Structures are given as C-alpha cells and as structure tokens.
Amino acid sequence: MAGLNPVQLARFLNAITFVKTFVVQWTVRWELKDCKFKSRTGHFYKTRYVFSSPAHGITRLLWCYFVLQADHPADSQVKKYKQLKALHGVDGKPCSTESTNIVNTFSQSLLVANGGLGNGVQREELQQLFFVHGKVTSIAMPPRKPYAFVCFQEIKDAETAIALINGTVLTRPTEMSTENITLYLSFLKEVPKENLQSNDNLPPGLVLVKDFIDAEMEDMLLRNIDWNEEMLSEAGNVAPKTLKHRQVKHYGYEFRYDNNNVDKDKPLHDGIPAALRKIIDDIMATQNIQHGPNQITVNQYQPGQGIPPHIDTHSAFEGEIISLSLGSNVIMDFKHPNGQHIPVLVPQRSLLVMTGESRYLWTHGITPRKHDVAPADTDTGLTLTKRTLRTSFTFRAIRHAPCDCDFPAQCDSQQKEMKEKERLLPKSDDQASALEAEHVHKVYETIATHFSDTRHSQWPKVTKFINQLPNGSIFADIGCGNGKYLGINTSIFQIGCDRSSNLVEICRQRDYEAFTCDALSVPIRDNSCDAVISIAVIHHLSTQNRIKSKYLKESKHEMSGDLGENLHHRKLTAHGDDPVAVVAKNSIGNKTKEGHDACLCKSIEPDECCIGGGENSSSCQKNSKDDSQIQNDTQSAKDNEQTNRARRAEPIKDSIYSSNTLSVHVNRTAFAKQDLLVPWHLKSKNGKRNNIGEENASSKDQSVAENVCTKTVFHRFYHVYKEGELESLCQECSGVRIVEGYYDEGNWCVIIKKE
Amino acid sequence: MFLTVFRRMKLLTHNMLTSHVKGVTNGYPLNIEAKDVRVQEVDFNPEFIARMIPKMEYEVLVQAAQSVGHLGNLPPELVTDYENNDEFLKEAHRVMMMVEVVEGSLVCPESGRKFPISNGIPNMLLNEDEV
C-alpha cells in the first residue's frame, strides 16, 4: 500500500467493498442458472445477466474493477466507444452534452446508454433494475432519446448499480422483432438540465386549461359527430373527408386544404350545432378570448396518425386558435423557427388556446406514432403512454382584414404585401438593380437548364447577319444565353458572355468560348470586335434611365480611356452592346473600317410570349402568328406610353395599391403594359412546396404537390418595346449610326454601325 | 467511354478582356495567374490566323504566353510578312488557339482585383461597389 495517497487509498477501499458485494451477487446468480436471479429484496430480475462460467464472472469483475478504479486506457476506450455508440442510438444524433459529461470518478448520477424511451425502454424496467440497489432520487428519460439518467442518493449505491447493471441485457419478446437491448452505464458529473423538459415550460402565448369539460360532456360531443352526414354549403355538398392521416369535418365554414384558407363569403349552410355553441360560450367565458369562434374543424386521429408541423394561415383566422381534445392524451410539438422545440402534453378533455407568439410564430404538429412520451404519474420524469382514438375540435374566428401581426416572416398577409411592394417600378438605380437582380439575374440562374432546353430556334435575320461576316472576324454575343448563336459561323472567332454563370457553363459544355459578365459592364477592350450582337437583353433592363445613362456614361468612359480622336473608331462593343438588349449589333474595329458595322437592335416582346409557356418552347415559331397581336399590343403600348412617361418622371408612391406596381403577364395574351413580369414555369421533378398551412398541410401536400407544385413559377422583368422606341434610344447614343431597324419574329431589331 | 474535352479560356480570349473596375483607367492587359494550363489540339487554319493577327495586341499575346510558360518559339516581335510564314502562323495558332487556362485568375493591372477562372470560365462580374 506504500505510495498510495489518501485519495487513492480511499478509492481502493471503496473498490474492495464493491468487489465483496459483487462476489456475493455473482454467487447468487451463479446458483440460478436460468438467467434470472433473485435480488436482495426478493424481486426476480428479468435480465439475462449471466456468466457462462466462473471464469467469465471473474473476468467481468476484474474489468469492472479496473475501469472504475484505474481508468485503464484500453478498457475505458472500449467503454467509451460503446457508450458513444449507444448514445448515437435511435435518432442518430450525437449527444455532445451527455458524452462530454461522462466522468471516470464516482458520482451519484448515472447515464444509462441504450436505456431510453427512444429505443423502447420503459420507465418501469429501469425502476426494477435500479431500485434494488439503493434509494433512487430520480429517473429522467428524455423524449426520443436512447438513453436515460438515474440519480442515486448515495454514491456507493451508484457504484454498486454500475457494477451490476452495466452490460445487462433486457430481453425483448420475439414477436416485437426488436433486438435485445444491452445497457451501458457510466458516471455523470450531473444530469443535463435541458433534458428534463416539464410541461410548465410552454411557448409564449399558449394557455392550457386542463379538464375544461367533464367526461359526460366529452361523451356527448363524441356521440354527436356524424361523420357520414353531408354538410351543405352555398357551393354545394361537402362531405366529411378522410385525409391521408385523419378524418375531418367542418362547421361554420369549410377549411380548404388546397389553399389553407376558407371561403369567407361562403359559410356552410347548417351553421354550428347547439352543443358546440354551448362550448363556444364556455370558451368565451374563460376571458382568454377576444374573437368569438365561428369556424370549427373536427379532426379524428387514430393511434399512429398525426399532423405535420404548421402555422394556421394568418390571413384566414384571428389571433386565437383553440383546440379541445377528446378521447386521448397527446403530445403536441411546438417549434420555434430558431429550432427550439417544446413538446406539450395535451391531456384528454383539456382546452389548448394558442395566442400571440404560439399562434403566429411557432409551428405545432403531432408526430404520427402510437406511443407518446409523457410525464409519469408518480414523479416529474417522463414515460411512454399509449395513444388511443383522439378527436379534436378546433375553434377559430374568421379574419376579415389582412393580418398585421408582429411576425412578418410567418405572415402570409404581410408577405403578400411585401411582394407587391417589390413589384413596384423602380425609381432609383438601386431599386432598378435590385429588381433586375431578383427578377432577371436570379431567375435565369435558376431556370438556366430548363431555359436552355427551350432555346434552339434562331432568329433568321440574326443568323444571316452572322453568316455574312468575313473569315477571321471577331464576333461577340453579349447576353449569349445558352450560346445558340455561337456555333453558326465556323470561320470567325466567336465568343459569348452572359450574366448567368449557369448559362455560361452550358455554353462551355457545348464547347463554346464564353465568360461571365454583366451587360452593363462588358470587359472587352475597345476596338477588338468586328461584330457584336446582343439579343433579347435590353428588355430586361428596367428603366430607360438606366439604359440611357449607362449607355451614354459607359460611352464617355470609354472615350476617356481611349484617344479622343479615335473615339469613333473604338469598338462599340462594350457600351453599345450593353444596353442594346434585344439587339444584335456589330461594330467595326477602327482598323478594319470596311466591316460590317451594324448593330442589330431588336426590341422585344413576343419572344417572351412563347418563352413564357415553358413547355411551348417548340412553338417559338408561333411568334409570327402573334404579329397582329403584337401590333395591337404596340398600339396599346403607345397609349400607355404617355402615362408611362409621366409615371416615370413622378416620384413613385409607396402605396402598394398604386398603379405603379408591375403586373404579371398572362402568357399568350397581349401585353397589358410595357413593364411586366413575365412568368416562367419551371418544371421540376421534386417541386415540393415547403408549406405552412393549417391543420392539413400533409394532405394538401399530397394532392396539390402532384398537380400544381410540380411547376414553380418565376417572374422575369420585361420592358416591352414599341415601334420606334429602340431606334430612338440608339439615336441618343453618340458615335453610332442606325443602319437598319426592322421587325422580325415579333421582335424589334436595330443594326447600328460605329461611325 | 466517350470523353468530351470542353473548351477553356484561350489566350485569344485573354487578349480581348480588360478590367472595368470602377476608377480604373487602364485595366489592360490583365495579368494571368494560372494554376492549371492545358494545351488542346485545334485544327490549324492559316488563313484564319493570318487574319486574326492584326486584330490582336501582339505584345500582350507574347506576354501572356510567357506568363503561362507556353511561349515556345513565338517571336517577341511580330514578323513582317507573317501571312506567308507558315512556321510563324503555326506558333501563333498554338499560342492563340491551343493554350488554355483551366484554373487561375485574371488580375487587373491597376487595381489588383482578381477575376477567377474556374473550370475554364473567367468570371468578370463586378460587385455592386465596383461599378
């Protein structure tokens, strides 16, 4: 014993004590060969903690001794590994708190890895195992976790428990088809507090009234629901529905799962039954409620059914969502957007009132399962309870004005308002670039592949223009998209650029030379190109001001960078092109004066027509048929022009209802205005919406996702040009001459030449 | 297996690119910081090259070839009568059309702003405060 310090000595003595206990226990067990053994208190353990031989027992004894006493590296590694493995258990997430909390010194608290609700261990099983070894102060079983915490009053009892219970195998009946569970124990510094969520901790605004009605009333209400009765609405028959996960019925108004809202002007014919009106009176009497409910949804959940997390549509209902639970307890999961999760036990016959944050900000849902983790009756811990048939009555008041809650990110009313604001015509350059970033750049980046798949046909005049370029010309396409004009003439050097890197990548994959840049700042040196085209670009620039000022400014800038007298010889490319969107233009380099210097400007419109439809890509040619329509359009555009100009000059009002909002174009109709958002229907395989709806998000997802959500709609900003508009823009640019302006394939084009 | 070798930034393209960062008066020529340079066979078309030569900044082409280590026998000065000098045209063809930068950056000579070349595509986009 020489050389041991007092602490070590104490540990050693401690260990000896426990070894004695162990030997005794082991002897007892050894005499009971049937894998069950009788404990000191006379209980029979159902465990199969059995040694195959005395040697096995001694090995285990030594193992326990070394791990506890000496922190043997190899052993503790094995132990730690098993503990960690067990901690990863059911939900697959490592539990850093618990694993770092593990200590190799003695303490009252034990971690029981593999012994949690998450892997099907019941509180009673742990009680049986641990109570025999001393006074247990608490057994904490965090929900859905494959581990539990057991605290003893005395450290020595914890030691005994860890020595005897570690490695215990809990047998599982074969019909459950789950494997037997081996428990791994270790000492903990302390039990993590956050694992012991109690029901006192409710999301802000949530009120739970226990025993709101008595059993008699509950019975009466349940009997009165006629699931087969047909409810008549103004709109016609409404039968109770069996949604994918539950049965529902509506009173007052029908809740529509397709848009998660109600038809506020179409109340159901039969109104609210008297029994429920009585309940509403009782609810109002609690004085928690400001708006009298006039819509009731009845949901019936079989054990194992649930409802996905959702927030009831803000614009549909007032600020109180009230739920009366009948038939069964259930755990409702409340989740904050920041990830905070509070499971709330909603007892049978209780009234749950969601107001404020809990109604507007937190999602609530019921996980589909047959058992819930619920507070045990005896103490503050948790245990499993079995669900039975549960019926919930949700009472809500229809909202008639837009919602103005404090949670705009969750609020459909305010989101809608913001979207409308976003669609205001830009009044400053910042707003213009924001609009273009959102409704041009971002959209093309997203739809690049689909867009490219629909862009094959070339405009014949543009093709002709490219084909007549002489051998050895340098040719650039500003806003080249998928590069459909880059492979036409193989005897020239062709280079493209686009704002969308995804489109440029497509060009590269088609073996075209291309780079990424903005058409308002083209990084090509002056006088380097013989011809430049810029097709279907200018219509994406949102203000005339932007086109002109950028155009002119850019020109001037170029000039200063160049020799003054050479100004006119400089390559137009950089500036000329930029602005001229739908334009194909070419300019001559100064040295080759003979070149074609034309800039082909096309102003666009209808190209979009076909573009918009997405699937009708093939019908690009149809544009021509739109000629007449375009003419009309042009007319109407002219009419608009005056107001338009006036509008642009005026400061724009902030009102969302002002006429300055951008309207969304309906594909294959005439353009209603010059400035529009043209929809692009992106087809995608997994176009699932991430939706927040009312109690039925799931079923809606089911049905709607298949029909509607396979397409996502993006809106692209367009300025629709009218006759002469493009030319007049080009005239404002000094140093260029318009060679030709024409109308082709529904697009305005201008060919300009550097002078 | 069918392998497609995609095109990357050629030195001819580099010859055309300039930096437009706000405040920069002379953003040309861009310096090349190449991390991955490849040489890819391209059909030789002497007439095309001969016509292309006068449109190039020849000095810049030479510098660029040097900086990526593929100058070869390209003369530092443009030879006279290059139209008929097949050997020269071949060298020029190699440098202009075959040498390609896959990864690296283009660096603005004045501001030092780096434009990344990734996967053979130069990204010349400017941030909001640079235009």
Side-chain angles (χ1 to χ4, degrees), chain B residues 31-79:
Chain B
N31 298 320
I32 304 178
E33 283 180 2
K35 286 189 198 129
D36 185 4
V37 178
R38 305 212 188 143
V39 178
Q40 186 180 330
E41 207 58 47
V42 177
D43 290 342
F44 176 47
N45 177 345
E47 194 195 346
F48 176 82
I49 299 296
R51 283 172 180 254
M52 209 56 82
I53 291 288
K55 299 174 188 175
M56 315 252 45
E57 293 290 338
Y58 188 76
E59 259 178 50
V60 172
L61 186 67
V62 171
Q63 275 172 26
Q66 213 157 16
S67 73
V68 298
H70 284 276
L71 183 62
N73 296 323
L74 191 73
E77 298 289 329
L78 187 56
V79 297

Side-chain angles (χ1 to χ4, degrees), chain A residues 117-185:
Chain A
L117 296 167
N119 59 339
V121 175
Q122 308 251 359
R123 168 172 294 270
E124 290 69 26
E125 291 182 277
L126 295 184
Q127 285 172 351
Q128 267 190 345
L129 275 176
F130 284 92
F131 283 6
V132 295
H133 295 297
K135 180 149 175 54
V136 175
T137 54
S138 73
I139 297 181
M141 306 187 76
R144 282 180 303 286
K145 296 287 196 268
Y147 51 81
F149 305 102
V150 177
C151 292
F152 283 91
Q153 200 163 24
E154 304 283 336
I155 290 188
K156 76 173 171 52
D157 292 336
E159 285 166 33
T160 314
I162 206 168
L164 293 179
I165 299 173
N166 195 12
T168 299
V169 176
L170 301 178
T171 52
R172 286 287 175 262
T174 44
E175 64 266 19
M176 274 174 77
S177 72
T178 49
E179 289 181 20
N180 291 342
I181 295 165
T182 309
L183 302 181
Y184 294 101
L185 273 58

Side-chain angles (χ1 to χ4, degrees), chain A residues 492-508:
Chain A
I492 59 175
F493 180 68
Q494 310 172 77
I495 185 160
C497 63
D498 204 281
R499 183 70 174 66
S500 158
S501 56
N502 287 339
L503 285 170
V504 172
E505 173 62 22
I506 290 170
C507 292
R508 191 187 68 91

Side-chain angles (χ1 to χ4, degrees), chain A residues 507-525:
Chain A
C507 292
R508 191 187 68 91
Q509 287 174 8
R510 298 173 73 179
D511 210 7
Y512 300 138
E513 192 85 4
F515 57 91
T516 318
C517 76
D518 195 302
L520 291 180
S521 173
V522 179
I524 299 181
R525 73 182 153 88

Side-chain angles (χ1 to χ4, degrees), chain A residues 369-515:
Chain A
R369 59 187 172 209
K370 293 190 175 165
H371 293 84
D372 267 324
V373 180
D377 291 335
T378 47
D379 55 45
T380 56
L382 296 160
T383 192
L384 278 179
T385 63
K386 206 168 175 179
R387 282 190 197 165
T388 50
L389 182 70
R390 173 175 177 266
T391 308
S392 80
F393 287 76
T394 308
F395 297 84
R396 294 175 290 202
I398 303 290
R399 184 192 289 276
H400 291 286
C403 175
D404 58 351
C405 65
D406 296 331
F407 310 98
Q410 281 72 28
C411 181
D412 61 316
S413 290
Q414 292 174 59
Q415 288 289 324
K416 191 174 156 211
E417 201 173 291
M418 272 157 64
K419 265 193 190 149
E420 279 169 4
K421 264 188 194 164
E422 233 175 56
R423 290 181 180 167
L424 280 178
L425 271 177
K427 63 180 167 186
S428 71
D429 206 48
D430 282 350
Q431 285 177 3
S433 43
L435 175 79
E436 286 163 22
E438 178 70 24
H439 287 292
V440 180
H441 306 158
K442 218 162 120 184
V443 176
Y444 280 103
E445 196 68 357
T446 313
I447 66 174
T449 309
H450 183 211
F451 176 79
S452 171
D453 290 345
T454 65
R455 286 296 170 282
H456 303 296
S457 62
Q458 297 153 351
W459 297 351
K461 283 207 168 187
V462 177
T463 310
K464 192 177 150 210
F465 172 82
I466 297 170
N467 272 324
Q468 70 189 11
L469 296 172
N471 188 0
S473 298
I474 294 182
F475 163 80
D477 184 352
I478 312 297
C480 63
N482 66 350
K484 67 175 177 173
Y485 293 111
L486 290 177
I488 294 176
N489 185 340
T490 49
S491 67
I492 59 175
F493 180 68
Q494 310 172 77
I495 185 160
C497 63
D498 204 281
R499 183 70 174 66
S500 158
S501 56
N502 287 339
L503 285 170
V504 172
E505 173 62 22
I506 290 170
C507 292
R508 191 187 68 91
Q509 287 174 8
R510 298 173 73 179
D511 210 7
Y512 300 138
E513 192 85 4
F515 57 91

